[in-house]
Amino acid sequence: MAQDRASITKIDIIARHLMRKVLRCFGKVSVRERENSFVIHSIKHISSLSPQKTLHVMDIGSSSSLLPWRLSRLGYKVFAIDMRPYPFHHRNLSFLMADITSPEFWRDKPPIDIISCVSTLEHIGVGHYGDTMVESGDQKVVATFYRILKPGGSLFLTVPFSGLFSQDDFQRIYNPETFFKLFSAGWRLREERYYIPKAPRNWVLATQAEALRPYEVYPDSNNACFWFEKI
């Protein structure tokens, strides 16, 4: 599979967001809206515990996502990270074109309160989006997350999930064994949610057992959302 170095346009991203809002009017929720809602609502909860503090949030894999911009509009200080350009601007938003697999990433900079990584970990190190091909790239990036988070900091992570692990030149699909092994030391699991496809553009809450089974409507994988805390 050829590398995909191009990012979608600002208009494309907005159109996708509007389409998800239209789907909600018909009682359907896309998998990406499930992921983004999980992150936004969880960060709002953390913020409510210390309302006088401005949270510093780093979003990994931002190029085709409206999430960093949405978070910046909520008043958080947001750092959007990607190997490809990011088309949105806000006074609370800073964009850094960087390779998160580099050992020098975020060296000698202040630690971060929160990291969001939505449908990105599975691609890191594979090289499809123009990033560096790195063996065990997901393991190295999880170690980077741990390094740059404050003690007690939160990581919000979403990945494709299935009963069987697989990897190709596009992504990894995690199963419980391969995923939780990444977080076996130094992390506390605060919350986990699983979603399965009821229709191609309608994903519903499920148990982990249900998320391990394939479904004809979208047989490749299901979805899992996690909140980890740095111990």
Side-chain angles (χ1 to χ4, degrees), residues 93-123:
L93 176 63
S94 300
F95 172 65
L96 177 63
M97 188 177 291
D99 183 356
I100 194 174
T101 64
S102 169
E104 298 306 311
F105 176 76
W106 212 254
R107 288 287 184 188
D108 302 320
K109 293 185 178 182
I112 296 295
D113 296 303
I114 293 170
I115 295 175
S116 60
C117 185
V118 173
S119 287
T120 298
L121 182 69
E122 64 269 23
H123 301 294

Side-chain angles (χ1 to χ4, degrees), residues 43-223:
I43 292 177
K44 284 183 176 180
H45 170 71
I46 293 173
S47 180
S48 70
L49 301 178
S50 302
Q52 304 306 316
K53 178 182 178 181
T54 299
L55 293 175
H56 288 67
V57 181
M58 178 180 288
D59 182 73
I60 307 297
S62 305
S63 180
S64 59
S65 173
L66 201 62
L67 178 62
W69 181 76
R70 292 173 69 183
L71 290 171
S72 67
R73 292 187 68 209
L74 291 172
Y76 309 121
K77 179 67 175 176
V78 181
F79 301 93
I81 312 295
D82 207 297
M83 292 287 290
R84 301 172 295 165
Y86 189 65
F88 295 93
H89 302 276
H90 192 276
R91 64 181 180 275
N92 293 329
L93 176 63
S94 300
F95 172 65
L96 177 63
M97 188 177 291
D99 183 356
I100 194 174
T101 64
S102 169
E104 298 306 311
F105 176 76
W106 212 254
R107 288 287 184 188
D108 302 320
K109 293 185 178 182
I112 296 295
D113 296 303
I114 293 170
I115 295 175
S116 60
C117 185
V118 173
S119 287
T120 298
L121 182 69
E122 64 269 23
H123 301 294
I124 293 177
V126 175
H128 177 78
Y129 288 105
D131 57 312
T132 305
M133 296 186 68
V134 179
E135 185 177 358
S136 303
D138 52 353
Q139 297 178 32
K140 293 177 180 178
V141 166
V142 170
T144 298
F145 292 161
Y146 192 85
R147 171 172 61 82
I148 66 181
L149 271 176
K150 291 181 178 180
S154 292
L155 168 63
F156 296 101
L157 192 68
T158 76
V159 294
F161 202 77
S162 175
L164 296 174
F165 174 80
S166 65
Q167 180 174 337
D168 56 23
D169 56 0
F170 175 60
Q171 68 175 1
R172 308 172 191 88
I173 295 176
Y174 293 95
N175 66 353
E177 180 182 0
T178 55
F179 180 79
F180 287 111
K181 185 178 180 180
L182 297 171
F183 299 91
S184 59
W187 299 94
R188 178 185 295 111
L189 179 61
R190 292 289 305 272
E191 187 174 354
E192 55 189 315
R193 292 187 191 177
Y194 301 92
Y195 295 97
I196 59 174
K198 188 174 182 180
R201 293 184 176 181
N202 189 27
W203 291 64
V204 298
L205 189 64
T207 64
Q208 185 188 99
E210 290 171 327
L212 299 180
R213 300 198 296 266
Y215 297 90
E216 185 177 353
V217 65
Y218 191 84
D220 292 347
S221 68
N222 300 303
N223 179 266

